[in-house]
Amino acid sequence: MKNKKASLEVQLSVVVKLMFFALVISTFLVMANKIRTSELHDLKVASRDAALAHDAVLASPSEVFVSFGVKQNVDLNVDLDNCIVMAKSKNKVDTAPSNFPCAKNSLKKIDVAFEENKIKISGT
Amino acid sequence: MKKGALIIGDFLGMILEFIPVIIVSIFILFVAFAFLNEKIDTHDIEVFMLSRDLLYSDSCLAFSDDYRVFPMHVDTKKLDDERLGSCFSKSSMGFRITLLDSQGREVKSAKSLTLKQEGYLTKGASVNYPVCKAVPEYKCSKRKELIVYHTENKIQSGFLVIEVVNRVS
């Protein structure tokens, strides 16, 4: 009877240890999957790039047109009313979107257009 | 007494077994946290953009006549709070502008700041922005530009001091 109780205790401690190891390994795998690609970094850079390009167009004393490419996995959007650049992932992997504010000038008109993997910003 | 010592021994043994796992877990969490919260510091370039916007665009402070815009020439008539608010507004940024003559005396000043931002950008403090320094979420800086300014009938050289508070995280 005593031996049976002791063996149960040992089994229980082994199960607890295994569960703990499984938790650590699964956390590691989830994190590794998130870090595996540089997607999060791409999104952060793309949103900042576009917002700063928008601000540079705004600063120009005359008419200017800027066009530059963005990475294929990045989906860019600009909310001109609140002036926020939003970068989302085109892939199915759940990466948090990155938002970055741009500058608003109510006395100047800025147009933003998107073509395949290109953003075009013009100011008059 | 013997049973108690056994329990303590078991407990210590378990802790010793788990120490490597705990160390590895903390390391993984630390690396993952650092990666996911990676900061891309754009404060300096944002301040530079603001200064170009103010000094190059005739919708901001740049002097213009019927033919062209004069970058780095400040039209003192345009230097007021209302104009600044409409020519450059960014949700994360506030700024104060002070026009100084060549002797360093204040000529005119204007700002585009919320009440909270004004608290961070203390004017005339002996140490530069003590409140701003205490809050890591915000970054404050000062930029001084050599400019030419136009008053009603005179053109003079002077400095434009741009003080900026920016939410960086």
Side-chain angles (χ1 to χ4, degrees):
Chain A
M1 188 70 182
K2 246 185 181 180
N3 276 345
K4 206 175 178 186
K5 201 181 171 188
S7 133
L8 261 176
E9 270 175 18
V10 170
Q11 276 177 13
L12 196 69
S13 90
V14 169
V15 168
V16 168
K17 277 177 202 169
L18 279 175
M19 277 171 67
F20 192 66
F21 277 113
L23 190 74
V24 170
I25 287 164
S26 58
T27 312
F28 174 73
L29 288 176
V30 168
M31 289 299 175
N33 193 42
K34 275 199 168 184
I35 298 172
R36 184 171 52 93
T37 59
S38 57
E39 197 159 60
L40 190 66
H41 184 260
D42 288 348
L43 296 182
K44 283 183 180 178
V45 169
S47 62
R48 280 156 179 77
D49 238 358
L52 292 171
H54 174 278
D55 292 1
V57 169
L58 206 64
S60 164
S62 56
E63 206 170 314
V64 71
F65 175 78
V66 172
S67 170
F68 65 94
V70 285
K71 283 200 168 181
Q72 281 190 330
N73 59 334
V74 178
D75 180 23
L76 268 182
N77 261 308
V78 182
D79 173 5
L80 281 174
D81 293 332
N82 301 309
C83 211
I84 291 174
V85 179
M86 293 161 285
K88 278 190 274 185
S89 166
K90 278 182 185 170
N91 298 335
K92 283 179 184 173
V93 181
D94 184 27
T95 311
S98 170
N99 296 343
F100 197 76
C102 51
K104 245 190 338 185
N105 183 340
S106 51
L107 307 168
K108 207 168 181 178
K109 197 171 175 276
I110 300 282
D111 285 315
V112 181
F114 298 97
E115 254 178 38
E116 216 178 309
N117 300 323
K118 265 193 176 174
I119 179 167
K120 294 176 171 183
I121 307 169
S122 56
T124 48
Chain B
M1 185 66 189
K2 243 186 176 178
K3 203 178 177 186
L6 260 176
I7 289 170
I8 290 169
D10 282 353
F11 184 68
L12 281 175
M14 248 174 99
I15 285 180
L16 281 173
E17 265 182 61
F18 278 114
I19 280 176
V21 179
I22 289 166
I23 290 172
V24 172
S25 315
I26 289 170
F27 176 74
I28 293 169
L29 284 177
F30 183 76
V31 171
F33 186 80
F35 183 84
L36 295 173
N37 292 290
E38 179 202 17
K39 270 187 188 170
I40 302 172
D41 191 1
T42 51
H43 176 74
D44 290 340
I45 195 165
E46 281 181 77
V47 174
F48 176 74
M49 285 295 182
L50 166 67
S51 72
R52 295 305 100 168
D53 217 319
L54 295 170
L55 294 168
Y56 278 56
S57 173
D58 68 328
S59 62
C60 277
L61 302 177
F63 179 80
S64 61
D65 58 16
D66 297 337
Y67 306 104
R68 57 170 288 204
V69 182
F70 295 82
M72 305 300 281
H73 286 231
V74 172
D75 188 347
T76 48
K77 278 185 227 154
K78 292 180 178 175
L79 191 59
D80 59 59
D81 293 359
E82 203 184 323
R83 180 104 187 176
L84 287 186
S86 52
C87 91
F88 191 101
S89 67
K90 204 170 187 176
S91 55
S92 60
M93 196 184 246
F95 56 95
R96 183 191 297 122
I97 282 168
T98 314
L99 179 64
L100 307 174
D101 64 12
S102 53
Q103 307 298 313
R105 288 178 297 236
E106 187 175 323
V107 178
K108 211 171 175 186
S109 160
K111 64 179 186 291
S112 171
L113 291 167
T114 61
L115 269 175
K116 192 180 176 187
Q117 288 170 336
E118 209 161 348
Y120 287 121
L121 215 59
T122 337
K123 202 177 182 183
S126 55
V127 185
N128 268 351
Y129 319 122
V131 184
C132 196
K133 272 184 184 167
V135 185
E137 205 185 341
Y138 286 86
K139 214 167 177 181
C140 297
S141 60
K142 191 190 267 188
R143 194 180 167 91
K144 200 173 183 181
E145 299 275 357
L146 178 64
I147 48 102
V148 171
Y149 66 94
H150 295 239
T151 50
E152 270 175 32
N153 45 14
K154 270 196 273 180
I155 301 174
Q156 286 174 300
S157 63
F159 299 97
L160 194 74
V161 179
I162 305 164
E163 293 168 279
V164 185
V165 54
N166 193 11
R167 187 157 44 78
V168 287
S169 61

